[in-house]
Amino acid sequence: MRDDLFTGPEPDPARDAGHQDAPPRVGFFTDTSVCIGCKACEVACKEWNAVPEDGMTLTGMSYDNTGGLGASTWRHVAFVEQPVPEGRTRLPLLGPDGAPGGEPDGAPGGSDVRWLMSSDVCKHCTHAACLDVCPTGSLFRTEFGTVVVQEDICNGCGVCVPACPYGVIEQRPGDGRAFKCTLCYDRLGAGQEPACAKACPTESIQFGPLDELRERAALRVEQLHGAGITEARLYGHEPDDGVGGDGAFFLLLDEPEVYGLPPDPVVTTRDLGAMWRYAGTAALSLAAGAAVSFAVPALLRTKGRR
């Protein structure tokens, strides 16, 4: 692999992975502004991929019963309850007729609290550190540009877990093998969209060619800004960011940290090429030193015989 494949813009990761006739790269655009927190995506993901249940216990900190992404939670809908920040969008309550504008007692003009909901998922990074460090080839880049774990090849070493800059991939307790979203690779091969996107009732999760999704997302942000929602911004869409752009990116209504996302993720294998060069240089220097340490005494002995 070339050094420049570990970091920086990478327009065609599937072709660079050996898929010469690869179709256009596909991915997810999640518009959190229309997510209603129904968790239909979580259920559809579990049903289609036969992902086991993960406890179904409430944390006591939220209505969320899954808490975060993991080996048995490939889609996670975050529930963020917050006071409406100064100058930020106020979400009016619904009136009896279902139209906006209801005014509950004690909260004239709308609610002082807003819900931010977002369906999180593996980002299918352009530069996927989990794939780069996998010693068995269990992780691979598909012809669609996505990253998939082959569970029958995974040996449970866990090296991929700390490599992920988003903390997505995880080993399953009692099993040891790593699991994460496959972007429904089997469905893609059959010309179908992923189960989560298919089940989303508000089209918060949109699936399609990545370039097309980026254009659609930019128009959506422009629309929201025109409606006065100036805090709307995209996350993970830039091809020149720290991971080369994500295959699953988001429209957020607040800072990434509010949703539990790192503000400036960087692929953890960024310096891997340089590290190997330094290690090689050190090894050569050590070998040269050892050779000299043996050669000098031998030379002195030879001169002594003369």
Side-chain angles (χ1 to χ4, degrees), residues 26-293:
V26 298
F28 287 127
F29 163 48
T30 301
D31 182 353
T32 69
S33 69
V34 294
C35 177
I36 59 175
C38 67
K39 288 184 175 280
C41 55
E42 285 193 19
V43 174
C45 175
K46 282 185 175 290
E47 287 185 342
W48 180 263
N49 295 291
V51 178
E53 62 89 18
D54 43 11
M56 299 296 290
T57 56
L58 292 173
T59 64
M61 302 297 293
S62 166
Y63 287 108
D64 178 15
N65 67 322
T66 46
L69 294 173
S72 297
T73 305
W74 298 359
R75 266 281 179 189
H76 167 243
V77 179
F79 285 65
V80 181
E81 182 181 4
Q82 63 175 199
V84 179
E86 188 66 28
R88 298 292 178 87
T89 306
R90 298 179 63 88
L91 303 181
L93 298 181
L94 297 180
D97 58 353
E103 297 185 6
D105 292 338
S111 172
D112 290 328
V113 174
R114 71 172 182 175
W115 284 100
L116 299 178
M117 298 174 181
S118 173
S119 182
D120 198 8
V121 71
C122 170
K123 313 307 182 290
H124 294 274
C125 308
T126 297
H127 296 290
C130 58
L131 185 157
D132 291 336
V133 302
C134 180
T136 66
S138 171
L139 283 127
F140 74 101
R141 179 83 59 181
T142 74
E143 65 271 30
F144 303 103
T146 59
V147 179
V148 173
V149 183
Q150 300 173 93
E151 58 186 75
D152 57 332
I153 298 178
C154 178
N155 66 358
C157 70
V159 177
C160 56
V161 176
C164 176
Y166 296 100
V168 168
I169 196 166
E170 183 185 60
Q171 292 172 275
R172 189 170 290 165
D175 184 309
R177 294 176 297 172
F179 293 86
K180 72 172 192 67
C181 163
T182 66
L183 219 147
C184 287
Y185 183 43
D186 53 345
R187 293 176 65 93
L188 299 188
Q192 298 179 316
E193 64 181 325
C196 57
K198 182 75 173 177
C200 181
T202 64
E203 295 186 356
S204 170
I205 302 172
Q206 301 178 35
F207 166 79
L210 200 55
D211 290 339
E212 179 183 315
L213 292 177
R214 285 170 176 161
E215 293 179 4
R216 193 183 306 171
L219 290 175
R220 175 60 176 161
V221 170
E222 184 178 339
Q223 179 186 28
L224 290 174
H225 286 179
I229 308 176
T230 57
E231 62 269 28
R233 85 284 306 271
L234 296 179
Y235 176 85
H237 68 299
E238 290 287 353
D240 57 354
D241 66 11
V243 295
D246 292 324
F249 66 99
F250 303 80
L251 185 154
L252 305 179
L253 296 179
D254 209 323
E255 300 291 338
E257 300 94 318
V258 172
Y259 297 85
L261 296 168
D264 189 21
V266 175
V267 59
T268 52
T269 52
R270 175 184 58 181
D271 300 319
L272 197 57
M275 290 168 60
W276 280 114
R277 286 195 297 272
Y278 296 147
T281 301
L284 288 174
S285 299
L286 184 61
V292 169
S293 67

